[in-house]
Amino acid sequence: MQATLGVDLGGTNLRAGLVDSSGELLAWGMAPLRHRRSPEQFVADMEVLYRSLLKEIEPPLTVTALGLAVPGPLDPVKGEINGAVNLPDWNNIPLVKLAEEALKLPTILVNDGSAFVLGEVTAGVLQGSSNALGLTLGTGVGGGLFLDGKLRTGATGNACEIGHLIVEPGGRLCLCGRRGCLEQYASASAVRRSAIALAEAGELPELLEQVEGNSTNLNTRLVSEAAQNGNSYCRELLAEAGRWLGRGVAQALTILDLDDVVIGGSMARAGELILAPARQSIRQTAFPPRPRLRLVQSKLGDRAAIIGAGSLKLHTDSRLINSD
Ligand SMILES: [Zn+2]
């Protein structure tokens, strides 16, 4: 049987999986990505994970390609990753060359947001959708666009950097150097920072107890759990992130006529606590109104970008995905 390897280079983890031609994930696994790990170390770890996944499958697979989902900006033609804000030391890194030398597989580079939305359209909650936007709310906010039945990555492979859409001019300073970017308000990191500030102001004593008084150990999972148990401060933190998310989506809708928007990343686990305020914000701010728009939570979670990256080969024979 033939399969492809899909790899997702996230902010904290490396995830890899073997994907068949229908988008089914045959085996997958992950390894921690230590802060500022070198590209060479990443490729070595990816190879170890790949070999261990191959051993899980009987009869042996023929693996035909590698799809590599990475944080942007990237150069898919040269196969380089260029200064992602969460991997600041990775400048002009020839990741495709390094991966092809190590794994001996033809490799396509794609933005992780694009891989996410392609995964959800191929095998997740948006199966069958033709016009969908995907947003991942994690360390940052990633975006991917599936329009008129195709993955769209634009002239240079960097379409849909929606995390750096400015939603609050003059607002919070972003790692990209500008102010007011969506990811400073709606990412898991942003919610975590707000929770830490609240805890240090003495407003979240029960949550602080759970992390033995060390506020830096707070995370969005704990915030979501507390919100689900009725903590009003945590509910408001998530609702606020949801309202900002809605503003960002409404801006995207002004340009893109979409049926569906899917939310992934660690913040998506908050479900309706973030989605309901986001829908309300979209209703209030989108023009023209989009009454039929669906805003939903990812079904595949951490596996979406792996499946999307692994499915790239079905969509293109070119490194620049649109040039078919
Ligand atoms: Zn930014």
Side-chain angles (χ1 to χ4, degrees):
M1 185 167 55
Q2 287 202 345
T4 53
L5 176 65
V7 171
D8 177 21
L9 168 58
T12 48
N13 288 298
L14 145 68
R15 297 186 182 87
L18 295 164
V19 182
D20 76 7
S21 58
S22 67
E24 190 183 337
L25 197 52
L26 304 170
W28 77 286
M30 59 190 277
L33 186 79
R34 286 185 297 273
H35 187 52
R36 294 185 181 185
R37 180 179 287 195
S38 73
E40 291 77 11
Q41 184 67 57
F42 160 69
V43 170
D45 286 354
M46 179 170 69
E47 189 180 1
V48 169
L49 196 49
Y50 171 47
R51 304 284 170 216
S52 77
L53 291 173
L54 280 178
K55 283 185 195 153
E56 288 181 29
I57 310 284
E58 279 292 339
L61 291 173
T62 304
V63 180
T64 56
L66 162 63
L68 198 48
V70 297
L74 53 93
D75 182 334
V77 175
K78 285 187 186 165
E80 291 182 351
I81 169 169
N82 285 321
V85 293
N86 295 314
L87 290 167
D89 297 338
W90 291 35
N91 282 311
N92 301 313
I93 301 297
L95 211 50
V96 164
K97 183 167 167 279
L98 293 172
E100 288 185 338
E101 280 170 7
L103 276 68
K104 316 284 186 236
L105 294 173
T107 298
I108 307 172
L109 205 57
V110 70
N111 185 291
D112 48 13
S114 297
F116 166 70
V117 76
L118 185 57
E120 292 292 346
V121 167
T122 304
V125 68
L126 297 189
Q127 228 169 342
S129 178
S130 294
N131 295 291
L133 174 70
L135 286 99
T136 54
L137 313 182
T139 313
V141 172
L145 181 61
F146 193 83
L147 202 61
D148 297 326
K150 283 190 163 189
L151 185 67
R152 304 290 179 182
T153 61
T156 66
N158 289 292
C160 216
E161 279 284 0
I162 196 165
H164 301 281
L165 191 74
I166 292 176
V167 291
E168 179 77 327
R172 298 176 189 164
L173 185 63
C174 183
L175 290 170
C176 75
R178 302 174 312 149
R179 286 189 175 274
C181 293
L182 177 63
E183 74 176 33
Q184 294 307 315
Y185 297 86
S187 64
S189 311
V191 170
R192 178 176 168 269
R193 273 196 300 275
S194 299
I196 290 172
L198 267 182
E200 289 176 351
E203 304 288 8
L204 298 172
E206 286 162 19
L207 221 57
L208 208 51
E209 209 170 288
Q210 278 182 273
V211 291
E212 292 165 352
N214 185 351
S215 62
T216 58
N217 286 338
L218 288 174
N219 57 41
T220 52
R221 182 178 57 79
L222 292 170
V223 171
S224 294
E225 283 172 9
Q228 268 143 13
N229 292 329
N231 184 304
S232 57
Y233 286 105
C234 291
R235 290 181 84 90
E236 179 51 27
L237 278 183
L238 295 174
E240 189 187 7
R243 289 190 292 269
W244 286 113
L245 172 68
R247 282 195 205 182
V249 169
Q251 300 238 34
L253 288 170
T254 311
I255 301 170
L256 306 166
D257 193 356
L258 301 169
D259 297 312
D260 302 290
V261 177
V262 58
I263 307 300
S266 57
M267 282 287 293
R269 294 183 200 121
E272 288 302 310
L273 290 168
I274 186 165
L275 294 182
R279 284 191 202 103
Q280 193 179 9
S281 173
I282 293 168
R283 273 196 299 274
Q284 288 167 346
T285 53
F287 184 86
R290 309 281 183 182
R292 286 200 297 277
L293 179 84
R294 282 200 314 156
L295 175 67
V296 293
Q297 183 180 356
S298 161
K299 185 166 131 187
L300 298 169
D302 291 344
R303 294 165 297 155
I306 302 173
I307 293 172
S311 304
L312 278 171
K313 197 67 188 148
L314 304 175
H315 290 261
T316 182
D317 282 323
S318 159
R319 281 185 177 165
L320 197 57
I321 289 160
N322 301 307
S323 63
D324 50 352

